Amino acid sequence: MRIDSLEHRPGSGFRDDGRRAAPDASPDAPAVSARRICKAYGGTEVLRDIDLDVAPGETVCILGPSGSGKSTFLRCLNWLEEPSSGTVLLDGQPIGRLPGRDGRPRPMNARELAAARTRVSMVFQHFALWPHLTALGNVVEAPVHVLGRPRSEALAEGRRLLERVGLAERADAYPHTLSGGQKQRVAISRALAMRPKLLLFAEPTSALDPEMVGEVLAVMRDLARGGQTMIVVTHEMAFAREVADRIVFLDGGRVVETGTPDAFFTRPHTERAQRFLARYAR
Amino acid sequence: MTFDDVLTLLAAASITLGLSVAGIALGLPIGLGLALLRSARLPVLDQAIAALVSLVRAAPIVTLALFVFFVLPEAGLELAPIPAAVVTLTLNTAAFDCEIFRAGLAAFPRDQLEAASAYGLRPATRFRRIVLPQLWRASLGPLVSEMTIVLKGTPAVAVIGVVEITRAAGRIGAQTYEPLPPFLAATVLYTALIAVLVRGQRFAEARIARRYGYAVS
């Protein structure tokens, strides 16, 4: 599991050339490179040997039935879940474990982990806004207190980001006064304020009333078109089909099928994917 | 009851107030510190703090006051009555505050903590910026309730020679053979002090509810 001896197995991901795991970031390093991610709770394996490379600018949608491990996998990418084994590189840099003195991996300390996480932002299913801060306060919190950006600068950028998601007038509102869709758009602004290399979406519309799903998806569509690197765990099939560059289909903790949206939705080649899609077609 | 007696009662009230404020002011940070130490679940320390907190919570304030005043000197810590009273009240309220903060920490929404970690907030920053501002608001009710208990617990330190409201009222009653006026005055004084606390709590809670929209217990 040494970080400098990662093997890129053929067919395991996007643009494999076996030299992507260089310790320093290069312009064409994958935004994320996950290798052989396994996760077990007690004796239950929820992720088995998942590989994923995502190129800068790419949008990947992870689909799969409930319990397939897609959310757990997403949470492994920013180390909110610690994989039982496997490695994750964000923009060429490891997260979660570092090579130790003896060459064996050692867990990152709190400071190292926090630093690694500044490269990846996450949008949560239940928003996870901080209720004691205004919309703008939520957006500037991490840029100011983690990245150390000057407050005035962060506030100006925060206002721009809120404007971008259509919430310029709600900058000083507290989360409890916002609708679900508005909360999620604030959460997206908060994510963007970190200028992340990679943006993770954990079922961002699953907790929303149906009429609010559209406004959130519209913002995400804009981001994808604007070249933001994104991994989206979702049940919104129409969105995935329209916006994703690539679909990764998980079932039983494994990658069962991966391909372009067109290939996946029109001619899925595994029986599992066919059954999954049949349920949504109805 | 003469004018002098009224002055004596007012002086005693300032002692009661001073002791309470000192105990509360020292007990709050100590209680918070203990709660944080416990939430870190450090092997031996955790059990040690748990045992100590249980012991202090179980001990009547009178007993604790006698312990501090008469037993600690054996260990080389000799305190005058007033400092001993402050130590007693601090210990007592810190133990209860610890439990209040511990409950608040245990109930803190996990998703907010997770979001803070995901955005790179280190544990100390996360506590200062995300947890503490909400923790004290959520704990306000139980904390004020505990403060009133401290205030009402102050007569217990009379046992080590501190003259606070109740002790002063007792003396006046004994000298004049008219216990009703001084004890009535004492009751009014306690009520006034507690009313200030409760008013402050209501005011703060109303502000919090208006601004942040989350109810506080």
Side-chain angles (χ1 to χ4, degrees):
Chain A
M1 231 176 39
R2 284 182 54 171
I3 282 159
D4 57 357
S5 67
L6 282 174
E7 242 185 283
H8 282 233
R9 295 173 305 155
S12 62
F14 188 82
R15 282 210 269 162
D16 272 353
D17 66 6
R19 281 184 297 276
R20 297 276 171 194
D24 34 78
S26 59
D28 58 344
V32 62
S33 179
R35 281 293 167 277
R36 311 205 56 165
I37 300 298
C38 297
K39 176 75 187 175
Y41 294 106
T44 319
E45 281 185 82
V46 291
L47 298 177
R48 309 171 202 216
D49 268 346
I50 298 191
D51 288 342
L52 180 70
D53 277 9
V54 177
E58 203 184 6
T59 297
V60 171
C61 283
I62 302 182
L63 308 179
S66 314
S68 58
K70 50 193 192 307
S71 292
T72 306
F73 174 66
L74 198 73
R75 291 162 55 82
C76 284
L77 297 179
N78 63 356
W79 224 256
L80 282 183
E81 292 291 346
E82 189 179 326
S84 311
S85 65
T87 56
V88 178
L89 302 182
L90 294 171
D91 197 31
Q93 309 263 19
I95 183 168
R97 299 195 185 101
L98 286 172
R101 282 209 187 119
D102 54 358
R104 302 228 318 260
R106 64 159 179 90
M108 283 183 162
N109 61 35
R111 177 185 294 256
E112 292 161 341
L113 192 55
R117 281 171 171 157
T118 58
R119 276 174 271 135
V120 52
S121 288
M122 190 174 227
V123 174
F124 298 85
Q125 180 177 355
H126 296 284
F127 330 120
L129 294 177
W130 298 304
H132 62 302
L133 301 173
T134 61
L136 187 58
N138 269 274
V139 174
V140 303
E141 180 64 21
V144 171
H145 293 279
V146 176
L147 301 179
R149 289 206 191 124
R151 193 167 180 84
S152 56
E153 201 179 279
L155 286 170
E157 183 173 353
R159 286 189 191 280
R160 273 199 303 278
L161 287 169
L162 285 171
E163 195 182 334
R164 187 167 162 190
V165 300
L167 289 173
E169 322 81 66
R170 306 310 308 275
D172 298 319
Y174 283 89
H176 78 279
T177 64
L178 301 174
S179 72
Q182 290 175 329
K183 282 182 196 164
Q184 198 59 301
R185 285 186 282 151
V186 171
I188 292 173
S189 301
R190 173 175 72 171
L192 292 172
M194 295 297 279
R195 299 181 195 153
K197 298 282 184 183
L198 174 69
L199 197 43
L200 305 175
F201 289 88
E203 303 199 29
T205 58
S206 297
L208 296 178
D209 291 337
E211 69 265 30
M212 291 170 184
V213 170
E215 65 190 55
V216 171
L217 292 181
V219 168
M220 293 168 61
R221 192 178 293 121
D222 274 1
L223 290 176
R225 298 217 170 113
Q228 172 70 51
T229 315
M230 303 174 16
I231 302 180
V232 185
V233 168
T234 186
H235 292 285
E236 297 289 335
M237 295 301 141
F239 173 83
R241 187 167 190 168
E242 180 201 337
V243 175
D245 296 307
R246 186 153 48 104
I247 302 290
V248 173
F249 176 67
L250 292 192
D251 192 21
R254 289 181 200 281
V255 177
V256 173
E257 184 163 344
T258 170
T260 63
D262 198 42
F264 179 78
F265 284 104
T266 56
R267 36 182 201 288
H269 57 260
T270 57
E271 186 263 339
R272 282 272 212 21
Q274 287 161 12
R275 255 195 294 143
F276 175 76
L277 287 170
R279 256 184 298 148
Y280 280 91
R282 252 187 272 140
Chain B
M1 209 167 69
T2 64
F3 182 66
D4 268 0
D5 293 339
V6 174
L7 286 184
T8 305
L9 271 178
L10 285 177
S14 71
I15 296 286
T16 293
L17 185 66
L19 289 178
S20 305
V21 168
I24 289 164
L26 294 169
L28 277 174
I30 295 174
L32 180 59
L34 291 174
L36 285 174
L37 280 173
R38 285 215 61 190
S39 73
R41 298 217 178 92
L42 302 167
V44 180
L45 196 61
D46 189 39
Q47 284 91 326
I49 295 172
L52 194 71
V53 166
S54 300
L55 216 64
V56 173
R57 284 172 69 209
I61 299 181
V62 180
T63 317
L64 201 58
L66 292 170
F67 181 88
V68 169
F69 195 65
F70 291 114
V71 182
L72 286 190
E74 308 270 321
L77 188 66
E78 207 158 323
L79 293 170
I82 294 278
V86 170
V87 169
T88 302
L89 294 172
T90 301
L91 281 174
N92 174 267
T93 194
F96 285 96
D97 289 346
C98 168
E99 295 303 289
I100 292 168
F101 284 126
R102 219 158 64 82
L105 288 171
F108 198 86
R110 269 189 64 83
D111 63 338
Q112 286 189 44
L113 295 177
E114 213 162 54
S117 300
Y119 281 90
L121 271 74
R122 298 219 297 260
T125 315
R126 186 174 84 166
F127 177 73
R128 187 170 53 84
R129 297 285 314 166
I130 305 298
V131 178
L132 191 56
Q134 298 182 67
L135 180 65
W136 81 258
R137 286 167 198 159
S139 308
L140 192 62
L143 286 176
V144 173
S145 172
E146 165 58 22
M147 289 173 198
T148 64
I149 293 172
V150 172
L151 198 119
K152 288 185 284 181
T154 47
V157 297
V159 76
I160 55 173
V162 175
V163 182
E164 42 59 66
I165 296 176
T166 302
R167 177 77 168 201
R171 280 187 182 171
I172 295 166
Q175 282 160 7
T176 58
Y177 297 103
E178 277 182 7
L180 181 63
F183 281 117
L184 208 56
T187 307
V188 169
L189 284 170
Y190 282 120
T191 308
L193 290 173
I194 284 173
V196 169
L197 273 173
V198 173
R199 270 297 171 88
Q201 175 194 355
R202 295 232 178 96
F203 176 74
E205 281 181 349
R207 266 187 61 127
I208 293 164
R210 226 181 12 254
R211 180 182 276 205
Y212 307 104
Y214 48 81
V216 286
S217 46

